[in-house]
Amino acid sequence: VPQGGLEGDNQLATGGTYFGTVYEPVYLAGIAAGATSETGKLGYIYAFPIPQTLANINAFALGAQSVNPDATVTTISTGSWCDPSVQSQAVETLLDQDVDVITQHQDCTKTIIEAAEAAGAMSVGYHFDASELAPEGWLTGSEWDWNALYVDMVQTIVDGEFVDSPYNGDFRVGLQTGDNPFVQSPFGPKVSEETQAQIEEIKQSFVDGGSPFAGPVVNQDGETVWAEGEQPTYEEVETMDFFVEGVTGKID
């Protein structure tokens, strides 16, 4: 079961899930957004407030704030994984609030990218490389690259080794493990070489065991979630139920 699957109390005894740490490249994209934005106001259009979307939003905000401490992220929930008309309205709402970089966690992403480009705003992609849709405003993004993982899984099954393999259960991978299937998209023309180098440096810190959520991390209410010197495990991130400081929106 790719992407999320059944977790926690909903786990199946006869099945498992596999997923990447999607928030790692999203944090890196947040750095690009924070460094490139002229207003310091970023927008995030997402479907539902589940741990995966909340982790992405928070990672994006923290990445942006790492280079622009005053950066804010305004969120809009569409209540749907794919509703182009609602997505278009969300883009207009964000643009009316001086947001100049828009990103998303939606299943169909074309509408938001094209609407931002048409308005002269910058965009950060999700799920796939949509840079050809936004030749001027594209900054970077995050995309799935399942190929190597799928091939290895199938080969493990063919070899009769699946039962005793890491795949037989909830398989989680990230930059720390070296095989995250969620990777960074190419940079657009607005992202400076200096920012690209900074992103590469932070990416390496994640490879070396760091996390986008290394403390201190403070929520919207000013409460410390992870203190200085603390960082959550992959499993803990998958239970996230809050927005960090600097994110505008309510979790309903």
Side-chain angles (χ1 to χ4, degrees):
V1 181
Q3 293 195 43
L6 301 173
E7 301 171 338
D9 294 338
N10 295 319
Q11 261 182 348
L12 296 176
T14 56
T17 63
Y18 43 103
F19 204 49
T21 48
V22 296
Y23 51 85
E24 291 177 332
V26 170
Y27 180 98
L28 301 176
I31 296 176
T36 311
S37 172
E38 296 180 357
T39 66
K41 296 180 180 180
L42 316 177
Y44 212 118
I45 301 170
Y46 71 105
F48 302 98
I50 60 176
Q52 282 80 13
T53 58
L54 299 180
N56 280 350
I57 292 167
N58 289 336
F60 185 74
L62 292 171
Q65 291 164 5
S66 73
V67 292
N68 181 358
D70 296 326
T72 60
V73 176
T74 300
T75 63
I76 296 179
S77 172
T78 60
S80 169
W81 292 109
C82 183
D83 189 328
S85 63
V86 174
Q87 291 173 350
S88 294
Q89 294 170 9
V91 170
E92 290 300 322
T93 298
L94 292 171
L95 294 173
D96 288 343
Q97 298 178 59
D98 286 333
V99 166
D100 64 352
V101 180
I102 296 177
T103 189
Q104 60 184 298
H105 189 146
Q106 300 273 265
D107 279 352
C108 56
T109 61
K110 181 174 182 283
T111 297
I112 293 170
I113 297 292
E114 290 187 329
E117 182 76 359
M122 292 172 279
S123 59
V124 169
Y126 192 70
H127 281 320
F128 70 100
D129 176 9
S131 56
E132 64 180 15
L133 301 179
E136 298 294 328
W138 175 267
L139 298 182
T140 185
S142 310
E143 59 190 81
W144 291 106
D145 181 10
W146 290 108
N147 294 343
L149 185 60
Y150 278 165
V151 169
D152 193 57
M153 284 180 173
V154 171
Q155 190 62 53
T156 300
I157 295 170
V158 171
D159 292 342
E161 299 175 352
F162 182 83
V163 172
D164 294 325
S165 75
Y167 301 135
N168 187 20
D170 286 328
F171 181 66
R172 295 293 180 269
V173 289
L175 289 174
Q176 292 178 19
T177 63
D179 49 4
N180 191 357
F182 204 61
V183 300
Q184 191 172 8
S185 300
F187 293 109
K190 293 183 181 295
V191 183
S192 70
E193 291 185 4
E194 179 182 1
T195 297
Q196 292 182 39
Q198 184 174 9
I199 289 172
E200 187 59 34
E201 181 178 344
I202 298 302
K203 178 181 177 181
Q204 185 60 48
S205 76
F206 295 160
V207 172
D208 294 338
S211 169
F213 300 113
V217 172
V218 179
N219 68 19
Q220 278 181 325
D221 298 324
E223 301 167 338
T224 298
V225 181
W226 292 296
E228 183 79 33
E230 296 180 339
Q231 74 178 41
T233 63
Y234 287 168
E235 291 77 12
E236 288 172 325
V237 173
E238 289 193 353
T239 66
M240 191 169 288
D241 60 358
F242 63 89
F243 280 141
V244 297
E245 277 189 325
V247 175
T248 300
K250 294 183 178 180
I251 300 174
D252 299 320

